[in-house]
Amino acid sequence: LGMSAEMAWRTVCIVPAAVGIFVGAIILKISDDAPKGNYDEMKKNGTMAEVSAAASFRAGALNFNTWLLFVQYACCFGVELTMNNAAALYFREKFLLSTESAAAIASLFGWMNLFARGVGGFVSDKANARMGMRGRLWWQTICLVLEGIMVLIFANSNSLAASIVVMVIFSSFVQAAEGSSYGIVPYVNPPATGSIAGIVGAGGNTGAVAFGLGFRQLDYYQAFILMGSCIIASGVLSLFICIKGHAGLVTGQDSEEAIAAWKKLGAPASTTLQVPEPDTDAAAELEEENA
């Protein structure tokens, strides 16, 4: 359109804003609040506990698993946000590319969102169908560890072609880890899922700020090494995720109810989405706090 580079990047922001508003309006108009229906109807039918926002947030914030997932999400979505900011500058400075070429290459990182995040959630569901929560945790750990390894390889890549290939693989595991994270979230404490999802999601922004400071204070190589090491370390945290009624990564056993649920999920005859049933004890505690 003949705009200057400074005006062009500002003007192009109109496109995602318009698409976001349009999609948001459609979602508000035609979607349900949850797989089982709208919240008002679920509360009337007794399938959803009436919980105050304060009680829900307190229950989510006091659950140790929430903060472990917070850190892990910081090391996947936080990494994505960091790469969105740093990738173009990195390619421009390291390989002496034009701003346009560097931005085009960096955009490949975001394009992986078209499939990889959904694949991460899909594989998490399949792992759950075979192994229950242990399967979800193993897939989460694999995604994070391989993501971290790809960052370390990327930091040591001196060829443009190799850097692009490694970045695409790296991005795929970043998005897959994001999808697998939210395959775990609904099981942590079902009556407080909204608050837990919000806290875990905030981990992504926190991670972006933390890694962004690293890129500001260190050179690219050191920043990437630090980021990759943190990601691998976050994968180890899966060992400490222990959700009531579910097996951990290497310890514990699923309850009979959990086994029945995930075996049913894996049955060929199952054609509807299965979601975690509310923890009656946790729901009762929240109701008492809400009273």
mmCIF file of all heavy atoms in Angstrom, residues 3-53:
data_model
loop_
_atom_site.group_PDB
_atom_site.id
_atom_site.type_symbol
_atom_site.label_atom_id
_atom_site.label_comp_id
_atom_site.label_asym_id
_atom_site.label_seq_id
_atom_site.Cartn_x
_atom_site.Cartn_y
_atom_site.Cartn_z
ATOM 1 N N MET A 3 3.055 2.233 2.224
ATOM 2 C CA MET A 3 3.288 2.833 3.538
ATOM 3 C C MET A 3 4.751 2.675 3.937
ATOM 4 O O MET A 3 5.454 1.796 3.445
ATOM 5 C CB MET A 3 2.413 2.153 4.601
ATOM 6 C CG MET A 3 0.933 2.302 4.399
ATOM 7 S SD MET A 3 0.030 1.453 5.721
ATOM 8 C CE MET A 3 -1.667 1.730 5.203
ATOM 9 N N SER A 4 5.176 3.511 4.867
ATOM 10 C CA SER A 4 6.502 3.347 5.444
ATOM 11 C C SER A 4 6.485 2.137 6.367
ATOM 12 O O SER A 4 5.415 1.676 6.796
ATOM 13 C CB SER A 4 6.896 4.598 6.240
ATOM 14 O OG SER A 4 6.037 4.748 7.366
ATOM 15 N N ALA A 5 7.678 1.616 6.689
ATOM 16 C CA ALA A 5 7.754 0.445 7.560
ATOM 17 C C ALA A 5 7.135 0.742 8.924
ATOM 18 O O ALA A 5 6.457 -0.103 9.514
ATOM 19 C CB ALA A 5 9.216 0.018 7.730
ATOM 20 N N GLU A 6 7.354 1.978 9.423
ATOM 21 C CA GLU A 6 6.812 2.338 10.731
ATOM 22 C C GLU A 6 5.283 2.370 10.726
ATOM 23 O O GLU A 6 4.627 1.927 11.675
ATOM 24 C CB GLU A 6 7.349 3.714 11.162
ATOM 25 C CG GLU A 6 8.823 3.739 11.514
ATOM 26 C CD GLU A 6 9.720 3.704 10.278
ATOM 27 O OE1 GLU A 6 9.190 3.875 9.151
ATOM 28 O OE2 GLU A 6 10.935 3.493 10.430
ATOM 29 N N MET A 7 4.693 2.884 9.660
ATOM 30 C CA MET A 7 3.238 2.944 9.568
ATOM 31 C C MET A 7 2.637 1.579 9.249
ATOM 32 O O MET A 7 1.557 1.234 9.735
ATOM 33 C CB MET A 7 2.829 3.952 8.490
ATOM 34 C CG MET A 7 1.306 4.110 8.336
ATOM 35 S SD MET A 7 0.488 4.651 9.861
ATOM 36 C CE MET A 7 1.111 6.331 9.972
ATOM 37 N N ALA A 8 3.352 0.760 8.449
ATOM 38 C CA ALA A 8 2.812 -0.533 8.023
ATOM 39 C C ALA A 8 2.589 -1.468 9.196
ATOM 40 O O ALA A 8 1.532 -2.110 9.294
ATOM 41 C CB ALA A 8 3.758 -1.174 7.006
ATOM 42 N N TRP A 9 3.562 -1.580 10.128
ATOM 43 C CA TRP A 9 3.400 -2.531 11.227
ATOM 44 C C TRP A 9 2.301 -2.069 12.176
ATOM 45 O O TRP A 9 1.657 -2.900 12.841
ATOM 46 C CB TRP A 9 4.718 -2.758 11.951
ATOM 47 C CG TRP A 9 5.169 -1.677 12.909
ATOM 48 C CD1 TRP A 9 6.080 -0.700 12.650
ATOM 49 C CD2 TRP A 9 4.758 -1.492 14.268
ATOM 50 N NE1 TRP A 9 6.265 0.101 13.749
ATOM 51 C CE2 TRP A 9 5.466 -0.374 14.767
ATOM 52 C CE3 TRP A 9 3.866 -2.153 15.110
ATOM 53 C CZ2 TRP A 9 5.300 0.107 16.068
ATOM 54 C CZ3 TRP A 9 3.718 -1.684 16.401
ATOM 55 C CH2 TRP A 9 4.413 -0.560 16.883
ATOM 56 N N ARG A 10 2.065 -0.757 12.254
ATOM 57 C CA ARG A 10 0.965 -0.277 13.094
ATOM 58 C C ARG A 10 -0.395 -0.556 12.432
ATOM 59 O O ARG A 10 -1.350 -0.976 13.087
ATOM 60 C CB ARG A 10 1.119 1.217 13.360
ATOM 61 C CG ARG A 10 2.292 1.557 14.284
ATOM 62 C CD ARG A 10 2.447 3.067 14.446
ATOM 63 N NE ARG A 10 3.419 3.400 15.473
ATOM 64 C CZ ARG A 10 4.726 3.471 15.283
ATOM 65 N NH1 ARG A 10 5.223 3.206 14.067
ATOM 66 N NH2 ARG A 10 5.541 3.793 16.264
ATOM 67 N N THR A 11 -0.444 -0.325 11.138
ATOM 68 C CA THR A 11 -1.708 -0.502 10.411
ATOM 69 C C THR A 11 -2.132 -1.963 10.364
ATOM 70 O O THR A 11 -3.321 -2.283 10.478
ATOM 71 C CB THR A 11 -1.566 0.033 8.969
ATOM 72 O OG1 THR A 11 -1.136 1.388 9.020
ATOM 73 C CG2 THR A 11 -2.898 -0.060 8.230
ATOM 74 N N VAL A 12 -1.165 -2.881 10.221
ATOM 75 C CA VAL A 12 -1.506 -4.296 10.088
ATOM 76 C C VAL A 12 -2.141 -4.845 11.368
ATOM 77 O O VAL A 12 -2.840 -5.871 11.331
ATOM 78 C CB VAL A 12 -0.248 -5.110 9.707
ATOM 79 C CG1 VAL A 12 0.655 -5.336 10.923
ATOM 80 C CG2 VAL A 12 -0.621 -6.437 9.070
ATOM 81 N N CYS A 13 -1.931 -4.178 12.494
ATOM 82 C CA CYS A 13 -2.537 -4.623 13.759
ATOM 83 C C CYS A 13 -4.062 -4.532 13.722
ATOM 84 O O CYS A 13 -4.748 -5.146 14.554
ATOM 85 C CB CYS A 13 -2.011 -3.794 14.926
ATOM 86 S SG CYS A 13 -0.261 -4.091 15.305
ATOM 87 N N ILE A 14 -4.599 -3.765 12.775
ATOM 88 C CA ILE A 14 -6.059 -3.658 12.644
ATOM 89 C C ILE A 14 -6.664 -5.011 12.272
ATOM 90 O O ILE A 14 -7.766 -5.361 12.714
ATOM 91 C CB ILE A 14 -6.427 -2.608 11.575
ATOM 92 C CG1 ILE A 14 -5.939 -1.215 12.016
ATOM 93 C CG2 ILE A 14 -7.926 -2.598 11.301
ATOM 94 C CD1 ILE A 14 -6.089 -0.149 10.947
ATOM 95 N N VAL A 15 -5.931 -5.807 11.469
ATOM 96 C CA VAL A 15 -6.472 -7.080 10.984
ATOM 97 C C VAL A 15 -6.762 -8.055 12.122
ATOM 98 O O VAL A 15 -7.905 -8.533 12.262
ATOM 99 C CB VAL A 15 -5.526 -7.716 9.944
ATOM 100 C CG1 VAL A 15 -6.043 -9.084 9.515
ATOM 101 C CG2 VAL A 15 -5.378 -6.797 8.736
ATOM 102 N N PRO A 16 -5.780 -8.409 12.986
ATOM 103 C CA PRO A 16 -6.105 -9.333 14.078
ATOM 104 C C PRO A 16 -7.136 -8.760 15.047
ATOM 105 O O PRO A 16 -7.935 -9.511 15.619
ATOM 106 C CB PRO A 16 -4.757 -9.573 14.771
ATOM 107 C CG PRO A 16 -3.882 -8.445 14.352
ATOM 108 C CD PRO A 16 -4.339 -8.066 12.976
ATOM 109 N N ALA A 17 -7.148 -7.436 15.225
ATOM 110 C CA ALA A 17 -8.147 -6.831 16.115
ATOM 111 C C ALA A 17 -9.562 -7.048 15.568
ATOM 112 O O ALA A 17 -10.478 -7.436 16.303
ATOM 113 C CB ALA A 17 -7.866 -5.349 16.289
ATOM 114 N N ALA A 18 -9.722 -6.816 14.263
ATOM 115 C CA ALA A 18 -11.043 -6.992 13.640
ATOM 116 C C ALA A 18 -11.474 -8.459 13.667
ATOM 117 O O ALA A 18 -12.630 -8.777 13.973
ATOM 118 C CB ALA A 18 -11.007 -6.478 12.196
ATOM 119 N N VAL A 19 -10.534 -9.368 13.372
ATOM 120 C CA VAL A 19 -10.849 -10.799 13.396
ATOM 121 C C VAL A 19 -11.220 -11.236 14.810
ATOM 122 O O VAL A 19 -12.181 -11.987 15.018
ATOM 123 C CB VAL A 19 -9.647 -11.627 12.874
ATOM 124 C CG1 VAL A 19 -9.895 -13.117 13.094
ATOM 125 C CG2 VAL A 19 -9.416 -11.346 11.394
ATOM 126 N N GLY A 20 -10.477 -10.741 15.814
ATOM 127 C CA GLY A 20 -10.760 -11.094 17.197
ATOM 128 C C GLY A 20 -12.137 -10.643 17.637
ATOM 129 O O GLY A 20 -12.871 -11.390 18.297
ATOM 130 N N ILE A 21 -12.508 -9.420 17.297
ATOM 131 C CA ILE A 21 -13.836 -8.905 17.651
ATOM 132 C C ILE A 21 -14.929 -9.729 16.974
ATOM 133 O O ILE A 21 -15.934 -10.095 17.594
ATOM 134 C CB ILE A 21 -13.958 -7.417 17.257
ATOM 135 C CG1 ILE A 21 -13.020 -6.576 18.136
ATOM 136 C CG2 ILE A 21 -15.400 -6.938 17.391
ATOM 137 C CD1 ILE A 21 -12.892 -5.130 17.677
ATOM 138 N N PHE A 22 -14.723 -10.060 15.707
ATOM 139 C CA PHE A 22 -15.724 -10.829 14.949
ATOM 140 C C PHE A 22 -15.908 -12.225 15.540
ATOM 141 O O PHE A 22 -17.031 -12.672 15.787
ATOM 142 C CB PHE A 22 -15.285 -10.924 13.483
ATOM 143 C CG PHE A 22 -16.197 -11.744 12.629
ATOM 144 C CD1 PHE A 22 -17.465 -11.295 12.289
ATOM 145 C CD2 PHE A 22 -15.794 -12.992 12.146
ATOM 146 C CE1 PHE A 22 -18.318 -12.061 11.505
ATOM 147 C CE2 PHE A 22 -16.623 -13.760 11.364
ATOM 148 C CZ PHE A 22 -17.895 -13.294 11.043
ATOM 149 N N VAL A 23 -14.792 -12.925 15.788
ATOM 150 C CA VAL A 23 -14.865 -14.280 16.345
ATOM 151 C C VAL A 23 -15.452 -14.250 17.758
ATOM 152 O O VAL A 23 -16.260 -15.097 18.123
ATOM 153 C CB VAL A 23 -13.468 -14.939 16.350
ATOM 154 C CG1 VAL A 23 -13.514 -16.276 17.077
ATOM 155 C CG2 VAL A 23 -12.974 -15.143 14.925
ATOM 156 N N GLY A 24 -15.058 -13.250 18.551
ATOM 157 C CA GLY A 24 -15.597 -13.133 19.903
ATOM 158 C C GLY A 24 -17.103 -12.960 19.908
ATOM 159 O O GLY A 24 -17.812 -13.561 20.731
ATOM 160 N N ALA A 25 -17.616 -12.149 18.983
ATOM 161 C CA ALA A 25 -19.060 -11.938 18.893
ATOM 162 C C ALA A 25 -19.779 -13.241 18.526
ATOM 163 O O ALA A 25 -20.849 -13.553 19.074
ATOM 164 C CB ALA A 25 -19.359 -10.853 17.856
ATOM 165 N N ILE A 26 -19.193 -14.021 17.613
ATOM 166 C CA ILE A 26 -19.793 -15.301 17.220
ATOM 167 C C ILE A 26 -19.809 -16.266 18.397
ATOM 168 O O ILE A 26 -20.815 -16.943 18.657
ATOM 169 C CB ILE A 26 -19.018 -15.918 16.037
ATOM 170 C CG1 ILE A 26 -19.216 -15.071 14.774
ATOM 171 C CG2 ILE A 26 -19.470 -17.360 15.788
ATOM 172 C CD1 ILE A 26 -18.421 -15.554 13.585
ATOM 173 N N ILE A 27 -18.699 -16.328 19.144
ATOM 174 C CA ILE A 27 -18.623 -17.230 20.294
ATOM 175 C C ILE A 27 -19.669 -16.870 21.338
ATOM 176 O O ILE A 27 -20.355 -17.740 21.893
ATOM 177 C CB ILE A 27 -17.203 -17.195 20.901
ATOM 178 C CG1 ILE A 27 -16.201 -17.855 19.942
ATOM 179 C CG2 ILE A 27 -17.168 -17.913 22.261
ATOM 180 C CD1 ILE A 27 -14.757 -17.719 20.365
ATOM 181 N N LEU A 28 -19.815 -15.578 21.635
ATOM 182 C CA LEU A 28 -20.823 -15.141 22.601
ATOM 183 C C LEU A 28 -22.236 -15.518 22.151
ATOM 184 O O LEU A 28 -23.097 -15.835 22.971
ATOM 185 C CB LEU A 28 -20.739 -13.626 22.795
ATOM 186 C CG LEU A 28 -19.570 -13.107 23.641
ATOM 187 C CD1 LEU A 28 -19.518 -11.588 23.585
ATOM 188 C CD2 LEU A 28 -19.706 -13.578 25.087
ATOM 189 N N LYS A 29 -22.429 -15.510 20.841
ATOM 190 C CA LYS A 29 -23.768 -15.739 20.297
ATOM 191 C C LYS A 29 -24.133 -17.217 20.248
ATOM 192 O O LYS A 29 -25.279 -17.590 20.560
ATOM 193 C CB LYS A 29 -23.842 -15.147 18.878
ATOM 194 C CG LYS A 29 -25.216 -15.187 18.246
ATOM 195 C CD LYS A 29 -26.164 -14.212 18.892
ATOM 196 C CE LYS A 29 -27.518 -14.186 18.168
ATOM 197 N NZ LYS A 29 -28.471 -13.288 18.845
ATOM 198 N N ILE A 30 -23.216 -18.105 19.875
ATOM 199 C CA ILE A 30 -23.605 -19.481 19.568
ATOM 200 C C ILE A 30 -23.020 -20.550 20.485
ATOM 201 O O ILE A 30 -23.444 -21.699 20.425
ATOM 202 C CB ILE A 30 -23.226 -19.839 18.106
ATOM 203 C CG1 ILE A 30 -21.698 -19.905 17.950
ATOM 204 C CG2 ILE A 30 -23.833 -18.841 17.137
ATOM 205 C CD1 ILE A 30 -21.255 -20.411 16.584
ATOM 206 N N SER A 31 -22.033 -20.192 21.335
ATOM 207 C CA SER A 31 -21.361 -21.248 22.101
ATOM 208 C C SER A 31 -21.985 -21.459 23.473
ATOM 209 O O SER A 31 -22.670 -20.578 24.013
ATOM 210 C CB SER A 31 -19.880 -20.924 22.261
ATOM 211 O OG SER A 31 -19.713 -19.836 23.138
ATOM 212 N N ASP A 32 -21.738 -22.652 24.032
ATOM 213 C CA ASP A 32 -22.118 -22.946 25.412
ATOM 214 C C ASP A 32 -20.975 -22.543 26.338
ATOM 215 O O ASP A 32 -19.828 -22.395 25.914
ATOM 216 C CB ASP A 32 -22.396 -24.444 25.585
ATOM 217 C CG ASP A 32 -23.616 -24.898 24.795
ATOM 218 O OD1 ASP A 32 -24.525 -24.073 24.604
ATOM 219 O OD2 ASP A 32 -23.643 -26.062 24.363
ATOM 220 N N ASP A 33 -21.289 -22.410 27.619
ATOM 221 C CA ASP A 33 -20.258 -22.044 28.586
ATOM 222 C C ASP A 33 -19.286 -23.192 28.846
ATOM 223 O O ASP A 33 -18.127 -22.970 29.191
ATOM 224 C CB ASP A 33 -20.899 -21.639 29.922
ATOM 225 C CG ASP A 33 -21.722 -20.363 29.785
ATOM 226 O OD1 ASP A 33 -21.410 -19.544 28.906
ATOM 227 O OD2 ASP A 33 -22.688 -20.195 30.560
ATOM 228 N N ALA A 34 -19.749 -24.428 28.707
ATOM 229 C CA ALA A 34 -18.936 -25.604 29.007
ATOM 230 C C ALA A 34 -19.468 -26.779 28.192
ATOM 231 O O ALA A 34 -20.571 -26.704 27.630
ATOM 232 C CB ALA A 34 -18.989 -25.925 30.500
ATOM 233 N N PRO A 35 -18.701 -27.874 28.095
ATOM 234 C CA PRO A 35 -19.169 -29.035 27.322
ATOM 235 C C PRO A 35 -20.530 -29.567 27.766
ATOM 236 O O PRO A 35 -21.270 -30.127 26.950
ATOM 237 C CB PRO A 35 -18.062 -30.077 27.556
ATOM 238 C CG PRO A 35 -16.843 -29.265 27.803
ATOM 239 C CD PRO A 35 -17.318 -28.067 28.580
ATOM 240 N N LYS A 36 -20.856 -29.409 29.045
ATOM 241 C CA LYS A 36 -22.134 -29.935 29.543
ATOM 242 C C LYS A 36 -23.274 -28.929 29.460
ATOM 243 O O LYS A 36 -24.389 -29.223 29.878
ATOM 244 C CB LYS A 36 -21.963 -30.413 30.990
ATOM 245 C CG LYS A 36 -21.140 -31.688 31.109
ATOM 246 C CD LYS A 36 -21.206 -32.257 32.516
ATOM 247 C CE LYS A 36 -20.500 -33.612 32.587
ATOM 248 N NZ LYS A 36 -20.597 -34.220 33.925
ATOM 249 N N GLY A 37 -23.019 -27.735 28.942
ATOM 250 C CA GLY A 37 -24.087 -26.752 28.794
ATOM 251 C C GLY A 37 -23.712 -25.413 29.391
ATOM 252 O O GLY A 37 -22.546 -25.140 29.687
ATOM 253 N N ASN A 38 -24.705 -24.552 29.563
ATOM 254 C CA ASN A 38 -24.488 -23.230 30.136
ATOM 255 C C ASN A 38 -24.498 -23.291 31.657
ATOM 256 O O ASN A 38 -25.185 -24.109 32.265
ATOM 257 C CB ASN A 38 -25.559 -22.253 29.646
ATOM 258 C CG ASN A 38 -25.424 -21.959 28.161
ATOM 259 O OD1 ASN A 38 -24.328 -21.724 27.662
ATOM 260 N ND2 ASN A 38 -26.539 -21.990 27.435
ATOM 261 N N TYR A 39 -23.734 -22.398 32.281
ATOM 262 C CA TYR A 39 -23.573 -22.432 33.730
ATOM 263 C C TYR A 39 -24.908 -22.297 34.478
ATOM 264 O O TYR A 39 -25.154 -22.989 35.456
ATOM 265 C CB TYR A 39 -22.619 -21.323 34.182
ATOM 266 C CG TYR A 39 -21.179 -21.545 33.765
ATOM 267 C CD1 TYR A 39 -20.328 -20.464 33.532
ATOM 268 C CD2 TYR A 39 -20.669 -22.831 33.600
ATOM 269 C CE1 TYR A 39 -19.001 -20.670 33.150
ATOM 270 C CE2 TYR A 39 -19.358 -23.049 33.218
ATOM 271 C CZ TYR A 39 -18.528 -21.958 32.994
ATOM 272 O OH TYR A 39 -17.231 -22.168 32.619
ATOM 273 N N ASP A 40 -25.767 -21.393 34.023
ATOM 274 C CA ASP A 40 -27.053 -21.200 34.705
ATOM 275 C C ASP A 40 -27.868 -22.489 34.716
ATOM 276 O O ASP A 40 -28.450 -22.870 35.740
ATOM 277 C CB ASP A 40 -27.856 -20.090 34.015
ATOM 278 C CG ASP A 40 -27.243 -18.717 34.246
ATOM 279 O OD1 ASP A 40 -26.450 -18.593 35.204
ATOM 280 O OD2 ASP A 40 -27.558 -17.785 33.488
ATOM 281 N N GLU A 41 -27.895 -23.176 33.582
ATOM 282 C CA GLU A 41 -28.647 -24.427 33.494
ATOM 283 C C GLU A 41 -28.001 -25.515 34.342
ATOM 284 O O GLU A 41 -28.700 -26.299 35.004
ATOM 285 C CB GLU A 41 -28.710 -24.887 32.026
ATOM 286 C CG GLU A 41 -29.441 -23.910 31.112
ATOM 287 C CD GLU A 41 -29.286 -24.274 29.651
ATOM 288 O OE1 GLU A 41 -28.569 -25.260 29.361
ATOM 289 O OE2 GLU A 41 -29.873 -23.574 28.806
ATOM 290 N N MET A 42 -26.660 -25.574 34.338
ATOM 291 C CA MET A 42 -25.961 -26.594 35.122
ATOM 292 C C MET A 42 -26.181 -26.391 36.618
ATOM 293 O O MET A 42 -26.317 -27.354 37.375
ATOM 294 C CB MET A 42 -24.463 -26.551 34.789
ATOM 295 C CG MET A 42 -24.140 -27.004 33.366
ATOM 296 S SD MET A 42 -22.450 -26.593 32.858
ATOM 297 C CE MET A 42 -21.501 -27.631 33.971
ATOM 298 N N LYS A 43 -26.226 -25.139 37.061
ATOM 299 C CA LYS A 43 -26.479 -24.860 38.476
ATOM 300 C C LYS A 43 -27.907 -25.245 38.865
ATOM 301 O O LYS A 43 -28.145 -25.795 39.943
ATOM 302 C CB LYS A 43 -26.223 -23.379 38.761
ATOM 303 C CG LYS A 43 -24.742 -22.999 38.709
ATOM 304 C CD LYS A 43 -24.535 -21.495 38.864
ATOM 305 C CE LYS A 43 -23.046 -21.153 38.759
ATOM 306 N NZ LYS A 43 -22.817 -19.686 38.845
ATOM 307 N N LYS A 44 -28.853 -24.979 37.972
ATOM 308 C CA LYS A 44 -30.241 -25.342 38.247
ATOM 309 C C LYS A 44 -30.419 -26.853 38.299
ATOM 310 O O LYS A 44 -31.197 -27.370 39.112
ATOM 311 C CB LYS A 44 -31.156 -24.762 37.157
ATOM 312 C CG LYS A 44 -31.317 -23.249 37.229
ATOM 313 C CD LYS A 44 -32.212 -22.755 36.103
ATOM 314 C CE LYS A 44 -32.339 -21.238 36.151
ATOM 315 N NZ LYS A 44 -33.174 -20.724 35.014
ATOM 316 N N ASN A 45 -29.685 -27.576 37.442
ATOM 317 C CA ASN A 45 -29.791 -29.034 37.392
ATOM 318 C C ASN A 45 -28.964 -29.735 38.457
ATOM 319 O O ASN A 45 -29.004 -30.959 38.587
ATOM 320 C CB ASN A 45 -29.349 -29.539 36.010
ATOM 321 C CG ASN A 45 -30.259 -29.041 34.899
ATOM 322 O OD1 ASN A 45 -31.431 -28.758 35.133
ATOM 323 N ND2 ASN A 45 -29.715 -28.933 33.700
ATOM 324 N N GLY A 46 -28.131 -28.969 39.189
ATOM 325 C CA GLY A 46 -27.312 -29.561 40.244
ATOM 326 C C GLY A 46 -26.045 -30.211 39.755
ATOM 327 O O GLY A 46 -25.368 -30.918 40.507
ATOM 328 N N THR A 47 -25.664 -29.976 38.488
ATOM 329 C CA THR A 47 -24.438 -30.570 37.951
ATOM 330 C C THR A 47 -23.234 -29.648 38.112
ATOM 331 O O THR A 47 -22.124 -30.001 37.749
ATOM 332 C CB THR A 47 -24.605 -30.917 36.456
ATOM 333 O OG1 THR A 47 -24.974 -29.727 35.740
ATOM 334 C CG2 THR A 47 -25.675 -31.985 36.267
ATOM 335 N N MET A 48 -23.470 -28.456 38.671
ATOM 336 C CA MET A 48 -22.392 -27.519 38.920
ATOM 337 C C MET A 48 -22.621 -26.848 40.254
ATOM 338 O O MET A 48 -23.725 -26.338 40.520
ATOM 339 C CB MET A 48 -22.316 -26.468 37.799
ATOM 340 C CG MET A 48 -21.213 -25.445 37.990
ATOM 341 S SD MET A 48 -21.170 -24.272 36.609
ATOM 342 C CE MET A 48 -19.822 -23.211 37.152
ATOM 343 N N ALA A 49 -21.602 -26.856 41.102
ATOM 344 C CA ALA A 49 -21.733 -26.244 42.422
ATOM 345 C C ALA A 49 -21.803 -24.727 42.305
ATOM 346 O O ALA A 49 -21.162 -24.121 41.461
ATOM 347 C CB ALA A 49 -20.552 -26.641 43.295
ATOM 348 N N GLU A 50 -22.618 -24.125 43.170
ATOM 349 C CA GLU A 50 -22.712 -22.668 43.238
ATOM 350 C C GLU A 50 -21.556 -22.174 44.105
ATOM 351 O O GLU A 50 -21.557 -22.340 45.325
ATOM 352 C CB GLU A 50 -24.046 -22.258 43.862
ATOM 353 C CG GLU A 50 -24.316 -20.767 43.847
ATOM 354 C CD GLU A 50 -24.774 -20.272 42.490
ATOM 355 O OE1 GLU A 50 -25.588 -20.953 41.851
ATOM 356 O OE2 GLU A 50 -24.300 -19.200 42.070
ATOM 357 N N VAL A 51 -20.551 -21.593 43.484
ATOM 358 C CA VAL A 51 -19.340 -21.207 44.201
ATOM 359 C C VAL A 51 -19.036 -19.738 43.928
ATOM 360 O O VAL A 51 -19.110 -19.290 42.786
ATOM 361 C CB VAL A 51 -18.135 -22.075 43.744
ATOM 362 C CG1 VAL A 51 -16.872 -21.668 44.493
ATOM 363 C CG2 VAL A 51 -18.423 -23.547 43.966
ATOM 364 N N SER A 52 -18.684 -19.005 44.977
ATOM 365 C CA SER A 52 -18.332 -17.603 44.792
ATOM 366 C C SER A 52 -16.956 -17.501 44.139
ATOM 367 O O SER A 52 -16.128 -18.412 44.234
ATOM 368 C CB SER A 52 -18.314 -16.873 46.140
ATOM 369 O OG SER A 52 -17.196 -17.276 46.911
ATOM 370 N N ALA A 53 -16.723 -16.362 43.494
ATOM 371 C CA ALA A 53 -15.427 -16.161 42.837
ATOM 372 C C ALA A 53 -14.293 -16.193 43.854
ATOM 373 O O ALA A 53 -13.222 -16.745 43.591
ATOM 374 C CB ALA A 53 -15.432 -14.833 42.078
#
